[in-house]
Short mmCIF file of all heavy atoms in Angstrom, two decimals:
data_model
loop_
_atom_site.label_atom_id
_atom_site.label_comp_id
_atom_site.label_asym_id
_atom_site.label_seq_id
_atom_site.Cartn_x
_atom_site.Cartn_y
_atom_site.Cartn_z
N ALA A 193 21.60 43.45 41.68
CA ALA A 193 21.92 44.28 42.86
C ALA A 193 21.09 45.54 42.85
O ALA A 193 20.67 46.05 43.91
CB ALA A 193 23.47 44.58 42.83
N GLY A 194 20.91 46.16 41.71
CA GLY A 194 20.06 47.32 41.56
C GLY A 194 18.67 47.10 41.94
O GLY A 194 18.03 47.95 42.59
N LEU A 195 18.05 45.92 41.45
CA LEU A 195 16.79 45.63 41.83
C LEU A 195 16.56 45.38 43.31
O LEU A 195 15.66 45.76 43.94
CB LEU A 195 16.29 44.38 41.02
CG LEU A 195 16.09 44.55 39.51
CD1 LEU A 195 16.07 43.23 38.82
CD2 LEU A 195 14.90 45.38 39.28
N VAL A 196 17.57 44.70 43.98
CA VAL A 196 17.51 44.51 45.40
C VAL A 196 17.50 45.87 46.04
O VAL A 196 16.77 46.03 47.08
CB VAL A 196 18.69 43.60 45.79
CG1 VAL A 196 18.82 43.57 47.41
CG2 VAL A 196 18.53 42.17 45.32
N ALA A 197 18.24 46.77 45.61
CA ALA A 197 18.30 48.18 46.24
C ALA A 197 16.97 48.82 46.18
O ALA A 197 16.72 49.72 46.88
CB ALA A 197 19.44 48.99 45.56
N GLN A 198 16.09 48.47 45.14
CA GLN A 198 14.82 49.14 45.07
C GLN A 198 13.74 48.57 45.87
O GLN A 198 12.61 49.05 45.94
CB GLN A 198 14.38 49.00 43.53
CG GLN A 198 15.29 49.73 42.57
CD GLN A 198 15.28 51.27 42.75
OE1 GLN A 198 14.10 51.82 42.95
NE2 GLN A 198 16.33 51.93 42.63
N THR A 199 14.03 47.36 46.55
CA THR A 199 12.98 46.73 47.34
C THR A 199 12.72 47.53 48.60
O THR A 199 13.59 48.14 49.10
CB THR A 199 13.34 45.27 47.76
OG1 THR A 199 14.63 45.33 48.49
CG2 THR A 199 13.59 44.45 46.49
N PRO A 200 11.42 47.43 49.07
CA PRO A 200 11.01 48.09 50.28
C PRO A 200 11.87 47.45 51.47
O PRO A 200 12.25 46.31 51.39
CB PRO A 200 9.58 47.84 50.55
CG PRO A 200 9.11 47.46 49.15
CD PRO A 200 10.28 46.80 48.43
N ALA A 201 12.09 48.19 52.54
CA ALA A 201 12.75 47.68 53.69
C ALA A 201 12.07 46.43 54.16
O ALA A 201 10.89 46.40 54.32
CB ALA A 201 12.83 48.75 54.72
N GLY A 202 12.89 45.37 54.52
CA GLY A 202 12.39 44.17 55.04
C GLY A 202 11.83 43.21 54.01
O GLY A 202 11.31 42.06 54.48
N ALA A 203 11.89 43.55 52.78
CA ALA A 203 11.31 42.61 51.75
C ALA A 203 12.31 41.70 51.13
O ALA A 203 11.96 40.91 50.32
CB ALA A 203 10.65 43.39 50.65
N ARG A 204 13.53 41.82 51.56
CA ARG A 204 14.63 41.06 50.94
C ARG A 204 14.81 39.68 51.62
O ARG A 204 15.80 39.32 52.14
CB ARG A 204 15.93 41.88 50.89
CG ARG A 204 15.80 43.17 50.22
CD ARG A 204 17.04 44.08 50.45
NE ARG A 204 16.66 45.38 50.09
CZ ARG A 204 17.57 46.41 50.25
NH1 ARG A 204 18.78 46.24 50.68
NH2 ARG A 204 17.19 47.69 49.98
N THR A 205 13.72 38.94 51.59
CA THR A 205 13.78 37.58 52.30
C THR A 205 13.44 36.57 51.28
O THR A 205 13.10 36.82 50.10
CB THR A 205 12.67 37.57 53.26
OG1 THR A 205 11.37 37.87 52.81
CG2 THR A 205 12.96 38.57 54.48
N ALA A 206 13.62 35.33 51.61
CA ALA A 206 13.41 34.17 50.78
C ALA A 206 11.94 34.18 50.27
O ALA A 206 11.05 34.61 51.01
CB ALA A 206 13.73 32.91 51.44
N ARG A 207 11.69 33.61 49.14
CA ARG A 207 10.32 33.48 48.61
C ARG A 207 9.52 32.55 49.53
O ARG A 207 9.99 31.53 49.87
CB ARG A 207 10.46 32.95 47.19
CG ARG A 207 9.22 33.06 46.38
CD ARG A 207 9.48 32.60 44.93
NE ARG A 207 8.33 32.89 44.13
CZ ARG A 207 7.34 32.10 44.15
NH1 ARG A 207 7.20 30.99 44.80
NH2 ARG A 207 6.21 32.34 43.31
N PRO A 208 8.24 32.99 49.82
CA PRO A 208 7.45 32.13 50.68
C PRO A 208 7.23 30.74 50.06
O PRO A 208 6.97 30.60 48.79
CB PRO A 208 6.06 32.86 50.66
CG PRO A 208 6.46 34.33 50.31
CD PRO A 208 7.68 34.24 49.41
N ALA A 209 7.32 29.68 50.85
CA ALA A 209 7.21 28.29 50.44
C ALA A 209 5.83 28.10 49.91
O ALA A 209 5.62 27.17 49.10
CB ALA A 209 7.56 27.35 51.50
N SER A 210 4.80 28.85 50.42
CA SER A 210 3.47 28.60 49.91
C SER A 210 3.13 29.08 48.51
O SER A 210 2.15 28.72 47.90
CB SER A 210 2.47 29.27 50.90
OG SER A 210 2.81 30.63 50.93
N ALA A 211 4.02 30.03 48.08
CA ALA A 211 3.76 30.55 46.74
C ALA A 211 4.45 29.71 45.66
O ALA A 211 5.62 29.45 45.73
CB ALA A 211 4.35 31.96 46.62
N ARG A 212 3.70 29.32 44.61
CA ARG A 212 4.22 28.38 43.59
C ARG A 212 3.62 28.73 42.33
O ARG A 212 2.39 29.23 42.18
CB ARG A 212 3.88 26.93 43.92
CG ARG A 212 4.68 26.34 45.10
CD ARG A 212 6.14 26.18 44.79
NE ARG A 212 6.86 25.61 45.88
CZ ARG A 212 7.59 26.33 46.73
NH1 ARG A 212 7.60 27.69 46.65
NH2 ARG A 212 8.27 25.67 47.69
N TRP A 213 4.39 28.48 41.16
CA TRP A 213 3.82 28.60 39.90
C TRP A 213 3.99 27.35 39.15
O TRP A 213 4.60 26.42 39.65
CB TRP A 213 4.36 29.84 39.15
CG TRP A 213 5.90 29.82 39.05
CD1 TRP A 213 6.66 29.03 38.29
CD2 TRP A 213 6.71 30.75 39.75
NE1 TRP A 213 7.94 29.41 38.43
CE2 TRP A 213 8.06 30.45 39.32
CE3 TRP A 213 6.50 31.77 40.62
CZ2 TRP A 213 9.15 31.12 39.81
CZ3 TRP A 213 7.67 32.45 41.06
CH2 TRP A 213 8.96 32.13 40.66
#
Side-chain angles (χ1 to χ4, degrees):
L195 290 168
V196 169
Q198 294 291 320
T199 58
R204 302 171 198 179
T205 57
R207 192 174 187 279
S210 59
R212 290 290 182 263
W213 53 72

